[in-house]
Amino acid sequence: AQSVTQPDIHITVSEGASLELRCNYSYGATPYLFWYVQSPGQGLQLLLKYFSGDTLVQGIKGFEAEFKRSQSSFNLRKPSVHWSDAAEYFCAVGADYNQGGKLIFGQGTELSVKP
Amino acid sequence: DAGITQSPRHKVTETGTPVTLRCHQTENHRYMYWYRQDPGHGLRLIHYSYGVKDTDKGEVSDGYSVSRSKTEDFLLTLESATSSQTSVYFCATGMGFGGMAEQFFGPGTRLTVL
């Protein structure tokens, strides 16, 4: 069965510092991977997605993620964090084709940004 | 962004009462989903729909039922609300699986069961 693990429940970084949020997945075939962001009191917004091809994908708000098949990872990065990036971040993997387009979500990583 | 609205946005109810949450979409997406979000659990799938009148259970479906009589509407019903169903509920829509598995989320409904 597919699963997603986000090892860090909460991360604090200083504004202007670089950021890396970890995501590990379990999936037998080529995965379809997503990162979503949730600001307080809001719904989830898609940051970026990986389907195939180039393993480094660019997203909105200056985020990027790298797919590493050998490590079963899809880590999210940003070179310089802004205070407005404080939010909760969710990694997700697409379930098998016969499961109604479901996504399997990790438990989320809450990001705090210090001034 | 997909046009997804949820109603009500906030609701307080008492244990044992029925509650219906509504999700409405204007994007003509085939798939619709109901999640609940609780601290420490992330998002958990309650039920989903892969077409009008076609629904299936997710991982936390006990105590919940759904209906989809039109493409644009997906209703979630708590037949007899319990305090353990206090949560934030999100509706999402999608166009398919694999490469089309991206989901679009509504703003959420905060439900409190006293």
Side-chain angles (χ1 to χ4, degrees), chain A residues 32 34 36 38 41-46 49 51 88 90 94-108, chain B residues 1 9 31 33 35 37 40-43 45 48 50 57-58 90 96-108:
Chain A
Y32 301 95
F34 306 83
Y36 284 85
Q38 184 183 30
Q42 304 294 316
L44 278 72
Q45 179 185 21
L46 182 70
K49 55 190 176 185
F51 293 158
E88 189 154 21
F90 293 93
D96 291 328
Y97 75 96
N98 60 346
Q99 295 190 45
K102 291 191 293 185
L103 294 180
I104 311 299
F105 284 89
Q107 293 190 338
Chain B
D1 289 341
R9 293 291 313 280
Y31 297 87
Y33 310 86
Y35 295 91
Q37 184 177 32
H41 291 278
L43 276 85
L45 183 66
Y48 67 101
Y50 44 96
K57 296 179 180 180
F90 286 98
F97 51 80
M100 299 177 70
E102 174 183 349
Q103 292 183 12
F104 303 85
F105 284 80

Side-chain angles (χ1 to χ4, degrees), chain B:
Chain B
D1 289 341
I4 304 170
T5 56
Q6 294 184 230
S7 59
R9 293 291 313 280
H10 301 270
K11 186 170 182 66
V12 179
T13 191
E14 294 188 349
T15 298
T17 61
V19 176
T20 295
L21 308 183
R22 179 177 183 248
C23 178
H24 180 77
Q25 59 136 333
T26 59
E27 298 298 313
N28 201 34
H29 288 167
R30 176 183 176 186
Y31 297 87
M32 297 186 75
Y33 310 86
W34 276 108
Y35 295 91
R36 61 177 290 172
Q37 184 177 32
D38 304 289
H41 291 278
L43 276 85
R44 293 182 291 175
L45 183 66
I46 304 171
H47 281 281
Y48 67 101
S49 169
Y50 44 96
V52 173
K53 293 185 173 24
D54 292 323
T55 64
D56 206 348
K57 296 179 180 180
E59 63 178 304
V60 290
S61 59
D62 287 348
Y64 301 94
S65 62
V66 291
S67 66
R68 191 169 178 200
S69 59
K70 297 186 291 185
T71 298
E72 56 267 35
D73 291 325
F74 193 33
L75 304 180
L76 176 71
T77 298
L78 291 65
E79 301 290 348
S80 177
T82 68
S83 59
S84 65
Q85 294 176 311
T86 293
S87 186
V88 180
Y89 292 84
F90 286 98
C91 174
T93 70
M95 295 178 284
F97 51 80
M100 299 177 70
E102 174 183 349
Q103 292 183 12
F104 303 85
F105 284 80
T109 294
R110 182 172 295 277
L111 176 67
T112 302
V113 183
L114 301 176

